[in-house]
Structures are given as C-alpha cells and as structure tokens.
Amino acid sequence: MKSQAAYFNGLFSAGSKSNNQPPHQATNPFFAMVRKEVADQVHSWRFIILAGLILLTFLGSMYVSLTNISKAVSNINDPDRLYLYLKLLTTTDGSLPPFHIFIGFLGPLLGISLGFDAINSEQSGGTLIRLMAQPVYRDSVINAKFVASLIVITTLFLSLNLLMIGGGLIITGVSMEPSELMRILCFVILSVIYVSFWLNLSILLSVKFRQPATSALTAIAIWIFFTVFYQIIVNVIIKAFLPSPDVLSQDQLVAYNRIILTFLRFVPSQLYTDATTTLLMPSVRSLGPLTMEQMAGAIPSPLSVRESLLVVWPQVSGLIAATVVCFALSYYLFMRREIRT
C-alpha cells in the first residue's frame, strides 16, 4: 500500500457516503477495499516489472509465431494447420518457447508477487488493527485481497489474448472460428486458475508468517522445488524401486511411464502444461502413453472443444481443488488469527 492515510481515506469516504444515502445506494466497504487494492497493485513497481516481462515474452513469442506461421499452416501432415490463431500461441522455431510455456514459468512469480505481503505487511505496518476498528467484517479483508488480485490477473491475460487476436486479424486478415475463440477463452481461464493457485499459496504464507520476507522466500522455495528438484527426486525414487526400462516389455514400459506421469502430475505446472497443450492443440487425444493396439485404426483429426475439455478435466479440477484448498486454509487461519499483537 502507498500510505495508511490513502488507504483509510477510501474507507472513510465510503462510510460518509453511506450516512447520507439510502441503504440501497450506500457504498459497500468491501468494494472500496477492492478498488483500493487494485489501484495499489497496478501502480506497484513489482507488478509493473513482472507485467512488462510477461508482455515482452508475449511479443517475442508472437513475433516467432508470425514469422513461422506460413510453414505451420502449409504442413499437410499437421491436423491443426487450419487453426491459425491457435498456431499463433503454439508455433515456434526453437529460438523461443511458446507463450503458454512462458506463463507456466512466469505465472507463479506473478501470483507470489501479488500475495506474499497481503496480510503480514498490513499487520506489521499497523493498518490491519485500524482497519478492524472500522465497521468492516474480518473476512472482507482477505476476500478483497484475493478478488483484487484476481481482477488484475484476469485483466492482464485477457488483454494479452485480445491483443493477439486483434493483431492476427490485422496482419493475416483471416477470420476466427468460434471453436478457436472458445479454446482461447478456456486458455485464459486456465491461466487465471493456475496463477490464482500461487496467489492463494502466497496469501496463505502471508497469513502464516509475520514477516513479508519470510513468506516471499518460502513461496519462492516451494516454486523452485516443484520446478527443478521434484522431477529429479521422482526419477531417482522410481529408478531405485522399479527395474530399468531397457528390460521391460511394451506393456510394462507403458505402465512404467504412467507411474512417472502420475507422480509428476502432483506438480501444478505439469497440470497446467498438460491442459494448455490439449486445449491449444486440438489433435491431442491423450495425455499419457498409448499402446500400438490403442493407436490402431486411429485417424489423426482434431477434437471438438467439448472432447478436449473432457480430456483435460482431471487436470483442471486438480488445479481448482488446489486453489480452493489454499484459499480455505488462509481464510481459516486469518479468521482465527490474533491481530492486536
């Protein structure tokens, strides 16, 4: 927050309006807090830096996609070649990863930066106890923190994808199919859910720890563990308890790979990558290994939006469940927390 006075001026002005207006026209303190939190986050340097970094990666990915889009749509062996706008999000020449890969890496940093000091900075600064002295419900505080950050994240991702759609219309002149629009909207919603998980995790750590530096370092340590070390640990454990893949039959090899994928899907970034790959590439039919008998007679053709959503529903439901659990824990701890000390 910029200052204590600026924060409480919005709440006090909301209260003064409610005294002069009828009850149905009174300003709700919750919405006053949401507006103030959105303004503070948008004007904060950490959000400006991360949003600028995401914008730069988006522009770089779009440039690579546009320079290679003609090769992608002319490849007759690619069943997704007719989905021009999905190709803008997935086409690459190897110099830069696609945009959804960047979001899988930078999204956690964005969520952590928006929530690691949501509560403990208020308490260490003395604004939380003053806020609770006003006619404001305690749960409105943490709800406003989450809703304001959610508004900022949704606006950012929706704006980037609308920019991609508008740029594609201007440069190529090709109209968008309704199925492409639905897939891009699903991609935006999924990206918001993914970043919201890390946002709620950082808010939970902000409630748990009293120092913002501690909550920030803990959240970054969790992110690094899942990004770098978790896959190494899983591979070491699997190789220690299971035989080498070189001596396995085809069915045993499929089961071996499924075990590894099952453990890797405890990582939120893996769930997000699987879901976005399926949504942005309609020809993807399965997220696990398939045997030759399962592939026999299969015709490579794109799936409908409904069928792709059915394929990725376990991943989407897992991300939603993890997000809800983190928010519920932070809500529970905050409602029972002593704020007078």
Side-chain angles (χ1 to χ4, degrees):
M1 291 188 160
K2 293 183 178 179
S3 66
Q4 297 182 12
Y7 182 80
F8 288 104
N9 282 339
L11 296 180
F12 292 154
S13 63
S16 62
K17 291 180 181 179
S18 62
N19 294 330
N20 300 325
Q21 295 179 355
H24 65 278
Q25 296 181 356
T27 303
N28 193 326
F30 172 77
F31 296 108
M33 287 188 290
V34 170
R35 289 195 299 269
K36 188 59 181 174
E37 288 293 333
V38 170
D40 289 341
Q41 289 177 358
V42 170
H43 290 92
S44 64
W45 277 107
R46 61 189 177 194
F47 174 77
I48 293 174
I49 293 173
L50 281 173
L53 185 60
I54 292 176
L55 178 61
L56 287 177
T57 57
F58 171 78
L59 294 176
S61 299
M62 290 302 101
Y63 175 78
V64 172
S65 299
L66 289 172
T67 55
N68 295 274
I69 193 66
S70 59
K71 297 179 182 179
V73 298
S74 61
N75 185 7
I76 60 175
N77 296 321
D78 187 1
D80 298 333
R81 66 184 183 278
L82 300 179
Y83 295 92
L84 175 65
Y85 290 90
L86 298 182
K87 284 295 182 183
L88 291 177
L89 291 172
T90 57
T91 300
T92 180
D93 59 356
S95 59
L96 282 178
F99 180 60
H100 65 93
I101 301 298
F102 275 120
I103 295 300
F105 181 77
L106 295 176
L109 294 178
L110 177 62
I112 292 171
S113 68
L114 292 177
F116 76 91
D117 61 346
I119 302 299
N120 48 23
S121 64
E122 297 279 2
Q123 188 165 7
S124 61
T127 57
L128 186 59
I129 189 171
R130 292 183 60 191
L131 182 59
M132 291 294 96
Q134 308 302 318
V136 176
Y137 293 109
R138 175 179 283 209
D139 59 345
S140 297
V141 177
I142 191 169
N143 290 337
K145 299 283 186 181
F146 172 68
V147 171
S149 300
L150 192 64
I151 292 173
V152 172
I153 294 169
T154 304
T155 303
L156 175 62
F157 287 124
L158 188 60
S159 300
L160 290 178
N161 283 273
L162 289 177
L163 179 63
M164 182 272 296
I165 293 173
L169 285 172
I170 294 174
I171 295 174
T172 64
V174 179
S175 60
M176 174 178 286
E177 297 294 332
S179 60
E180 289 182 287
L181 179 60
M182 289 297 299
R183 289 180 181 274
I184 292 175
L185 290 178
C186 290
F187 167 67
V188 173
I189 295 173
L190 184 62
S191 300
V192 171
I193 295 173
Y194 175 63
V195 179
S196 297
F197 164 76
W198 293 100
L199 169 66
N200 285 322
L201 178 62
S202 61
I203 292 177
L204 173 62
L205 297 174
S206 177
V207 175
K208 181 66 176 177
F209 300 108
R210 294 188 178 274
Q211 297 298 325
T214 305
S215 58
L217 290 176
T218 305
I220 293 175
I222 294 174
W223 170 64
I224 293 176
F225 171 77
F226 281 122
T227 304
V228 179
F229 297 105
Y230 182 81
Q231 186 174 1
I232 299 175
I233 294 173
V234 168
N235 289 329
V236 170
I237 294 176
I238 293 295
K239 291 180 180 179
F241 288 94
L242 294 180
S244 174
D246 299 333
V247 299
L248 298 178
S249 63
Q250 181 181 5
D251 294 337
Q252 292 174 334
L253 186 61
V254 170
Y256 180 89
N257 291 327
R258 283 177 178 170
I259 293 174
I260 295 179
L261 284 175
T262 300
F263 282 100
L264 290 180
R265 283 169 182 163
F266 285 98
V267 181
S269 59
Q270 183 66 36
L271 297 178
Y272 175 75
T273 302
D274 290 345
T276 52
T277 301
T278 305
L279 288 174
L280 298 178
M281 297 180 180
S283 61
V284 176
R285 293 174 170 267
S286 175
L287 294 173
L290 298 175
T291 62
M292 295 301 296
E293 290 79 6
Q294 292 174 321
M295 297 178 61
I299 300 175
S301 61
L303 299 178
S304 64
V305 178
R306 179 179 177 275
E307 291 171 338
S308 294
L309 288 175
L310 290 176
V311 172
V312 302
W313 179 245
Q315 283 74 15
V316 176
S317 60
L319 282 176
I320 294 175
T323 304
V324 171
V325 168
C326 288
F327 180 77
L329 287 175
S330 59
Y331 184 92
Y332 173 78
L333 293 176
F334 180 71
M335 294 299 290
R336 295 177 60 88
R337 180 172 181 172
E338 177 61 49
I339 63 174
R340 291 177 295 180
T341 57

